[in-house]
Amino acid sequence: MTTETATLIDGKAIAADVRASIKSDVEARLAAGKRAPFLSVVLIGEDPGSASYVRGKHRAASEVGIKTDNLAFPETVSEEELLAVIDRLNRDPEIDGILVQLPLPSHIDDQKIISALSPAKDVDCFHPENVGRLMLGLPGLKPATPAGILELLKRSGIETSGKHAVIVGRSNIVGKPLANMLMQKGVDATVTVCHSRTANLAEITRQADILVAAIGKADFITADMVKPGAAVIDVGINRVEDASRERGYRLTGDVAFDEVSGIASYITPVPGGVGPMTIALMLKNTLIAARFQEQESG
Ligand code: NDP
């Protein structure tokens, strides 16, 4: 076993670079007499986690010159009311991107709401048409978290071609789209996707040149599950009780950071790794959606 210490992939700094380039594109739009990109955020209920994510998105958008509005609805909002709102946002030529903060209350069918979004305004890239385009390798919006991970790999000089990428987690928002993106021509990784029913998980993760953890379980990936020299990307965001913190908890990833950083070649921290990239790439999608809207309006 090697005793190297992994290079830290600074997602915060890389995301700041991505945001700076979005900001200069927005400024160029304004200088050319175009309006600022506009993102509508739909928030349902009082979940403090969702409210905090949404606040972060508004703040980040405003810093790059993207305008936003917040459409907040009580937990009791009906599916019909929500569909009517989506329809209005879809038709409004001044609105480029729509983001519906998930999860939705249980009486609302997530998939019905997502499928009602105009694919050209779907900055989360959850609409079935966008998912299909992604799978086919067609141009279009890309889901923010997987796109952020690819950007982290690229900007850190981590080779993907011919490498074995193992993803632990098969969700629709992380594992599945990331597997698709990593296997596309030009990225060229050989991909294995693992989940809770995978047999001999550690045997598989130990084969990974690039190991992505998107599980939602604190410190799940331990050093014995990692090949020496692997690049380890930690998507997980877990709240762990911590009496020494004022808020009573701290955020931690799915990877046992201290032990794994002693064996990996590269590692992302939590917080400050994948998280800031997700927001930056969502903003990039809003800019792309504004270009779609321009083409639409002729
Ligand atoms: P999901 O709960 O939708 O998926 C978790 C996946 O992990 C499932 O596929 C599940 O398997 C798998 N899993 C659970 N337990 C095990 C196990 N013991 N062994 C192997 N696989 C297991 O989560 P998400 O994909 O939405 O999110 C994953 C984590 O990433 C969460 O902590 C979330 O907060 C975080 N996240 C972070 C983002 C960021 O920007 N940094 C963005 C999105 C998510 P199965 O399918 O069989 O149940």
Side-chain angles (χ1 to χ4, degrees):
M1 192 179 282
T2 65
T3 53
E4 66 183 304
T5 301
T7 301
L8 197 70
I9 300 177
D10 188 347
K12 228 168 145 180
I14 297 174
D17 279 354
V18 174
R19 289 199 307 271
S21 113
I22 297 168
K23 189 174 182 193
S24 75
D25 282 4
V26 171
E27 284 165 359
R29 283 177 62 89
L30 298 177
K34 296 173 184 167
R35 62 169 176 74
F38 196 103
L39 173 70
S40 266
V41 182
V42 178
L43 175 64
I44 293 123
E46 309 287 329
D47 178 60
S50 292
S52 147
Y53 281 133
V54 162
R55 273 197 304 278
K57 288 170 185 176
H58 284 296
R59 198 168 43 238
S62 139
E63 278 165 18
V64 299
I66 291 177
K67 295 215 158 86
T68 59
D69 66 358
N70 194 45
L71 304 172
F73 298 92
E75 187 87 19
T76 51
V77 69
S78 72
E79 202 171 83
E80 291 66 33
E81 282 173 279
L82 208 49
L83 287 169
V85 170
I86 303 283
D87 184 51
R88 177 173 66 72
L89 300 176
N90 282 344
R91 289 165 190 273
D92 189 336
E94 303 290 310
I95 290 171
D96 302 305
I98 309 169
L99 191 156
V100 181
Q101 184 66 38
L102 301 178
L104 298 177
S106 56
H107 66 279
I108 296 176
D109 179 351
D110 289 20
Q111 208 49 55
K112 203 164 168 184
I113 300 299
I114 289 166
S115 298
L117 292 170
S118 159
K121 297 189 177 191
D122 166 36
V123 294
D124 270 332
C125 194
F126 293 160
H127 189 284
E129 182 179 317
N130 287 329
V131 176
R133 293 184 70 86
L134 181 82
M135 202 182 137
L136 294 170
L138 296 173
L141 299 169
K142 302 276 183 288
T145 302
I149 293 170
L150 257 73
E151 199 67 29
L152 285 179
L153 294 172
K154 196 165 128 195
R155 294 196 188 215
S156 307
I158 297 166
E159 181 61 81
T160 51
S161 178
K163 300 297 177 189
H164 187 188
V166 176
I167 303 166
V168 189
R170 58 174 163 182
S171 73
N172 289 338
I173 64 166
V174 188
K176 280 187 205 164
L178 179 62
N180 252 302
M181 290 173 85
L182 281 166
M183 74 168 84
Q184 293 292 333
K185 276 211 157 70
V187 185
D188 298 324
T190 302
V191 183
T192 302
V193 181
C194 303
H195 46 77
S196 68
R197 302 298 173 98
T198 297
N200 305 322
L201 180 67
E203 242 171 61
I204 299 169
T205 57
R206 269 198 301 272
Q207 294 169 27
D209 302 307
I210 299 167
L211 178 60
V212 182
I215 309 158
K217 291 194 168 149
D219 299 340
F220 185 88
I221 301 289
T222 44
D224 59 310
M225 298 171 80
V226 178
K227 174 160 97 174
V232 178
I233 307 293
D234 192 352
V235 186
I237 303 175
N238 307 292
R239 281 184 180 196
V240 175
E241 271 185 45
D242 185 342
S244 73
R245 306 283 171 109
E246 201 179 311
R247 57 189 179 182
Y249 68 88
R250 68 190 152 82
L251 293 181
T252 187
D254 290 344
V255 175
F257 182 88
D258 289 343
E259 56 178 273
V260 172
S261 57
I263 178 171
S265 60
Y266 289 89
I267 191 164
T268 60
V270 177
V274 175
M277 293 300 287
T278 296
I279 295 189
L281 273 288
M282 184 279 293
L283 297 175
K284 189 172 169 190
N285 276 346
T286 306
L287 186 61
I288 296 169
R291 293 188 192 128
F292 290 161
Q293 188 64 38
E294 248 166 63
Q295 287 160 8
E296 184 90 348
S297 331

